Amino acid sequence: MTPFKQITHLEPEYEDLLHAGLDGAEDAGKAWRRWREKNPSFVGMNFDTLRLIPLVFQNLERHGIDDPDKEKMRGIYFDRWVLGHNLVESVRPLLKRLRAEKIPIILFKGLALVELYYKDYGIRSFGDIDILIPENHTAKATQIILEEGFTAKGKLSLYHPRFHHSIDFEKKERKYDVGIDLHWHVIHEACQRGADDNFWKRAQAIGGFGPSVLTLSPEDHFLQTCVHGVGWGFDGAPFTRCRWIADAVTILKNTHLNWDIIVEEAKRLEISVKFLSALLYLHEVFSVYIPKEVIHSLQSVHPSKNERLYFSLSSYNYGDSFWGMIQRDRAGWRAGTKGLTFFEKAAIFGKFMRPIIDRDIGLVGHFLKKYFPRLYFALKTSEK
């Protein structure tokens, strides 16, 4: 059996919050009481916990479970509801311009999940809008995003669709920040040519954003949610390691999935190990029903070296070490160049190495600044 616990790394208090927000009346009540025994006051609540409170609030309300701090919970829920609506309204002009330029758009992750499955902006927090576009529209889409007042979080020249799945942008508003994640690929581990063709073929309309704006199919939403979620491993704040569980359970509660499509896509994109790990965790910890034939089919897969490498990078706490970065680069090269000829690989090798060199130069600078400050500042002065 896949060591599902090894890839989730959730603290017990966050599992209790998720149970309180997702389970039936009896189990939700027990989980909430366990959590309240350890957290008798809402004062000083950390941000990750705060973002899960609306999910708990709506479930306790549904089952008639009372709490002395119910009104505080209602206030947190309402704050998230307002923020969600404000974020959506802030990006409508951008979506309109992208549509006017006839750039195909797929909305997915946070915003799309709220619209399709949660149907309540207060329950599920999201801090950015995820937009998938075809690779050949990158230049125009990036230009429009910049013209709308967004700035890229990294150097745009370092991103390449074969080795990166998205570019992040942000814009400072008066009371909050607006983020745009512009994606070429749905799955981080699958950046090869043609990886997203099936996602586009199965894409469906999503109301409220214009007739040409699409979203992923329920099967693809579920697959992306699980694989992206367990991919955090040790990394990320607790909320980022929790929300995929709530998303996956909510999708399953609100739609019927064609499991054959999901399994075949997981095999095609070489993400079966991560997906199986997610399914086993959902089944064992949250009693989610997963058909036995789905588990057996995924367990029968013989994963490639690259799939095992990606899994190990998420499962063990060395992904951000220097060795982990080398292994991540290695996996990224293998995935991005899958199916390319020798000459095609040679043509993009420089673009693959450019962000790595830029990163490593930064690491050397950080090392010198920390351990040899006099040498570091002498070098910086000589550059001027």
Side-chain angles (χ1 to χ4, degrees):
M1 179 178 286
T2 303
F4 59 88
K5 271 286 187 182
Q6 196 173 50
I7 203 170
T8 52
H9 314 295
L10 265 188
E11 296 84 349
E13 67 173 293
Y14 288 105
E15 284 191 349
D16 280 341
L17 275 176
L18 286 168
H19 280 295
L22 298 169
D23 289 356
E26 183 178 354
D27 291 336
K30 289 179 181 178
W32 181 240
R33 287 190 289 274
R34 282 196 305 269
W35 188 85
R36 286 296 265 166
E37 286 176 5
K38 298 176 183 177
N39 301 271
S41 173
F42 275 41
V43 177
M45 182 187 300
N46 66 58
F47 186 60
D48 292 296
T49 301
L50 182 145
R51 297 177 76 181
L52 287 171
I53 289 299
L55 178 73
V56 176
F57 169 71
Q58 60 84 31
N59 201 38
L60 298 183
E61 281 276 276
R62 181 188 303 122
H63 296 303
I65 300 172
D66 202 6
D67 187 273
D69 289 316
K70 179 183 286 187
E71 291 309 310
K72 292 181 181 178
M73 297 172 72
R74 191 187 308 277
I76 296 169
Y77 159 83
F78 185 70
D79 285 344
R80 306 316 298 180
W81 185 89
V82 171
L83 178 60
H85 277 280
N86 286 341
L87 285 172
V88 172
E89 293 308 312
S90 296
V91 300
R92 283 191 186 277
L94 171 62
L95 295 175
K96 185 176 180 179
R97 286 198 61 188
L98 292 173
R99 293 201 321 269
E101 293 292 335
K102 301 190 184 307
I103 298 175
I105 300 170
I106 286 180
L107 297 176
F108 69 115
K109 296 176 70 174
L111 171 58
L113 295 178
V114 169
E115 286 284 338
L116 296 169
Y117 306 109
Y118 287 95
K119 302 185 186 301
D120 188 330
Y121 280 80
I123 297 175
R124 206 286 196 182
S125 294
F126 57 95
D128 50 39
I129 310 296
D130 294 271
I131 302 173
L132 179 71
I133 64 167
E135 292 177 25
N136 60 330
H137 290 277
T138 300
K140 188 62 179 177
T142 300
Q143 177 187 341
I144 292 172
I145 292 173
L146 295 175
E147 289 174 356
E148 286 292 318
F150 290 84
T151 57
K153 290 186 179 181
K155 299 177 182 177
L156 291 175
S157 60
L158 299 181
Y159 290 86
H160 191 278
R162 291 285 72 75
F163 311 115
H164 302 89
H165 77 300
S166 67
I167 312 174
D168 295 346
F169 298 85
E170 63 181 351
K171 180 168 68 172
K172 303 289 184 181
E173 296 284 3
R174 188 164 58 90
K175 292 185 178 180
Y176 53 89
D177 296 342
V178 181
I180 293 290
D181 288 358
L182 185 67
H183 292 256
W184 298 299
H185 306 289
V186 171
I187 304 295
H188 175 268
E189 298 89 340
C191 295
Q192 66 269 26
R193 185 187 297 164
D196 298 85
D197 290 351
N198 288 346
F199 296 132
W200 283 100
K201 291 176 183 176
R202 288 190 291 265
Q204 302 174 0
I206 181 171
F209 299 96
S212 61
V213 178
L214 304 172
T215 190
L216 297 177
S217 69
E219 290 77 14
D220 295 333
H221 273 301
F222 184 73
L223 178 64
Q224 190 279 332
T225 293
C226 291
V227 175
H228 180 69
V230 297
W232 283 103
F234 280 94
D235 300 330
F239 179 73
T240 61
R241 292 181 279 120
C242 288
R243 64 185 174 193
W244 77 268
I245 300 166
D247 291 345
V249 172
T250 302
I251 292 171
L252 288 172
K253 285 180 177 179
N254 288 278
T255 190
H256 176 75
L257 299 179
N258 185 327
W259 287 99
D260 291 339
I261 291 176
I262 304 175
V263 170
E264 287 307 310
E265 200 64 23
K267 292 177 180 178
R268 183 180 74 88
L269 297 177
E270 297 186 1
I271 50 176
S272 299
V273 177
K274 275 190 175 182
F275 185 51
L276 175 61
S277 177
L279 295 184
L280 291 173
Y281 178 80
L282 292 172
H283 175 69
E284 296 288 341
V285 180
F286 289 90
S287 303
V288 172
Y289 170 73
I290 308 294
K292 289 183 178 180
E293 55 270 24
V294 171
I295 300 297
H296 293 158
S297 180
L298 292 170
Q299 287 176 332
S300 67
V301 173
H302 297 285
S304 66
K305 290 182 179 179
N306 219 43
E307 186 172 354
R308 293 198 300 270
L309 178 56
Y310 268 127
F311 182 80
S312 67
L313 286 168
S314 298
S315 302
Y316 304 99
N317 194 15
Y318 66 83
D320 285 333
S321 66
F322 186 70
W323 173 247
M325 286 188 285
I326 292 175
Q327 294 295 82
R328 201 179 297 278
D329 295 336
R330 179 183 170 204
W333 171 258
R334 284 178 176 173
T337 59
K338 184 180 179 181
L340 300 185
T341 66
F342 172 81
F343 294 104
E344 288 174 322
K345 291 178 182 180
I348 61 174
F349 182 71
K351 295 177 180 178
F352 168 73
M353 289 301 300
R354 189 172 179 181
I356 295 173
I357 294 171
D358 185 81
R359 178 198 70 202
D360 291 348
I361 289 175
L363 288 174
V364 171
H366 176 76
F367 177 81
L368 290 175
K369 186 176 181 180
K370 184 175 182 179
Y371 297 104
F372 303 96
R374 291 184 179 180
L375 176 59
Y376 171 79
F377 287 110
L379 291 172
K380 293 294 286 185
T381 303
S382 66
E383 290 177 2
K384 297 178 181 178

